[in-house]
Amino acid sequence: MSRRLAATFVATALTAGPALLLGAVPAHATGSHGPARGTADAVVLRTGLNVGLLHKTLDVPLNAVLNEVHAPASASKTALTVTLDGLDHGRPFSVLRADAATARGTADRHKAEGYANLVRAKVHLPGLPPQLSLIEAQQVTAKAVCEAGQRPRAESNVLGPVRVLGKKVTLTAGGTTDVKVPGVGEVRLDLSRKSVTSKSAAATALELKVSLNPLRLNVAEVHGRVTLVRAGCTAPGGTVPGDNGSGGTSGGQTGGQTGGQSGGGTKPAGGGTEVHQAGARPGSSQNLAETGGSSATPYLAGGAALLVAAGAGSIGYARRRRGAAPQGGRG
């Protein structure tokens, strides 16, 4: 009877020990609980235009992006050219040139910040004469900051003179300026647009609503929007179970790096535009998930060790009983 009890105890200990160790509390990433990271983004230039071609009943989309980033990332490129189907026999066309064009985004569990800067920039559109720019600006910046526990803030600045379709314009903060040029078209210019909520902020330095009829280089009209220097952020906060430390940024990085950081040509889904960017290669950082056990791991390990020790003692006891039984029978 003693041997049976010992064997039963040993089997129970050896079976229950691993089950308790493996099944009681599953392992998870060390960052699975705690405040969520903030998010940040920035872009130097984005166009959403339709170019109507002469002698054709179609519009060719001109969707170009320069230095679009989503935190954590940065980019610094100063030129953007496109190849537009049906324009100037397929020759590359310069949309923007600048002395400096920078965008960056940083984000963690305490602070998120987006920043964009453009210096001595000229934006050109298809059909306009080479000497006539859509807009010329000396320096344009936008910044958005979101800190945990504080109200987000956003600001944008346009420094120095600004020319639209060759005309020097006087800008009013938060206001709208209309520029009309006979035989060319008109541009509606919005300055320093900001949006601030309790959890997010965004600033756009310049936004242009474009309607042109240049009638050259096979271009009948150009209409749409051009965004010049934008930054945005969302504040850290809340608790996100299962967050491995990169939540809220993976999709943004993919889109930003594909559209705004690749050095080669990219073609939008709408077709019609092949984009080429020139300048310094962007730098970006990576988030690495940290994995490990929970706070209950030491207790589980200690319990398993006690079970193993108890099993070993039971085996020794059973062996001593087997060795003592024959001697007792002969006595």
Side-chain angles (χ1 to χ4, degrees):
M1 180 63 69
S2 298
R3 288 196 296 271
R4 291 193 186 96
L5 289 174
T8 301
F9 185 80
V10 171
T12 301
L14 295 178
T15 302
L20 287 173
L21 184 61
L22 296 176
V25 179
H28 54 76
T30 56
S32 62
H33 297 286
R37 290 177 180 270
T39 64
D41 61 87
V43 65
V44 167
L45 172 76
R46 181 186 293 117
T47 68
L49 299 165
N50 284 321
V51 179
L53 303 182
L54 289 172
H55 312 301
K56 292 185 179 181
T57 58
L58 61 89
D59 287 342
V60 179
L62 175 51
N63 301 318
V65 177
L66 180 69
N67 294 356
E68 182 178 49
V69 298
H70 297 257
S74 63
S76 180
K77 297 176 182 177
T78 58
L80 174 66
T81 62
V82 300
T83 301
L84 195 65
D85 293 347
L87 173 69
D88 199 17
H89 306 288
R91 295 188 181 95
F93 176 81
S94 174
V95 175
L96 179 140
R97 290 192 178 276
D99 287 357
T102 305
R104 67 172 179 261
T106 59
D108 55 28
R109 290 184 171 86
H110 305 287
K111 181 180 178 181
E113 180 177 330
Y115 173 80
N117 179 55
L118 193 58
V119 178
R120 295 184 183 275
K122 292 183 179 181
V123 178
H124 297 272
L125 291 185
L128 293 178
Q131 69 277 10
L132 184 62
S133 302
L134 171 67
I135 185 170
E136 298 180 29
Q138 186 74 16
Q139 184 174 8
V140 187
T141 63
K143 183 178 181 180
V145 181
C146 299
E147 296 184 68
Q150 298 187 24
R151 181 172 176 79
R153 58 188 186 273
E155 62 181 27
S156 61
N157 292 291
V158 179
L159 305 176
V162 173
R163 292 182 176 274
V164 176
L165 296 177
K167 288 187 174 184
K168 186 175 180 179
V169 297
T170 301
L171 302 175
T172 303
T176 299
T177 302
D178 291 316
V179 178
K180 297 181 180 180
V181 177
V184 177
E186 60 183 84
V187 176
R188 182 170 185 172
L189 182 66
D190 289 323
L191 173 68
S192 298
R193 299 180 60 182
K194 294 188 290 185
S195 173
V196 178
T197 69
S198 60
K199 284 291 185 180
S200 65
T204 300
L206 291 169
E207 179 138 1
L208 296 84
K209 184 178 180 181
V210 179
S211 180
L212 305 178
N213 52 344
L215 299 177
R216 58 185 307 277
L217 294 181
N218 197 35
V219 176
E221 63 177 16
V222 180
H223 57 89
R225 289 187 177 274
V226 175
T227 299
L228 208 62
V229 182
R230 181 192 182 280
C233 64
T234 59
T239 301
V240 182
D243 174 25
N244 65 358
S246 61
T249 63
S250 60
Q253 285 179 351
T254 301
Q257 291 169 357
T258 301
Q261 295 182 4
S262 60
T266 60
K267 203 153 191 174
T273 309
E274 187 177 354
V275 182
H276 304 270
Q277 303 185 46
R281 294 179 65 86
S284 63
S285 58
Q286 300 291 333
N287 289 329
L288 300 179
E290 299 176 358
T291 58
S294 71
S295 58
T297 301
Y299 300 100
L300 293 174
L306 289 175
L307 289 172
V308 172
S314 299
I315 293 173
Y317 175 75
R319 288 177 176 174
R320 288 196 298 272
R321 290 287 299 175
R322 286 198 298 271
Q327 295 176 3
R330 288 190 297 269

